[in-house]
């Protein structure tokens, strides 16, 4: 059951990230949570590409 809940949560977060009509802040927050769920080992790099996010949320 716990694994099913995790999969559902990940799917919801991924749906938010993919939704170009969602607020940029919501998309960025969802991406941050996804990154924290499966944080890469120290020294590895993970690149996230999201189209349609307003410039104020990008570095």
């Amino acid at each position: 059951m716990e694994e099913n809940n995790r999969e559902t949560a990940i799917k919801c977060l991924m749906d938010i990230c993919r939704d170009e009509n969602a607020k940029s802040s919501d998309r960025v927050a969802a991406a941050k949570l996804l990154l924290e769920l499966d944080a890469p080992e120290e020294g590895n790099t993970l690149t996230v590409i999201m189209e349609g996010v307003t410039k104020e949320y990008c570095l």
Side-chain angles (χ1 to χ4, degrees), residues 8-28:
T8 300
I10 290 172
K11 182 184 179 310
C12 289
L13 291 170
M14 290 178 69
D15 288 345
I16 293 169
C17 288
R18 289 186 189 112
D19 184 1
E20 291 188 27
N21 294 318
K23 293 186 334 187
S24 294
S25 59
D26 292 342
R27 294 177 69 204
V28 170

Side-chain angles (χ1 to χ4, degrees), residues 22-42:
K23 293 186 334 187
S24 294
S25 59
D26 292 342
R27 294 177 69 204
V28 170
K32 184 176 184 276
L33 288 171
L34 285 169
L35 291 171
E36 290 174 355
L37 283 173
D38 285 321
E41 294 180 19
E42 192 172 324

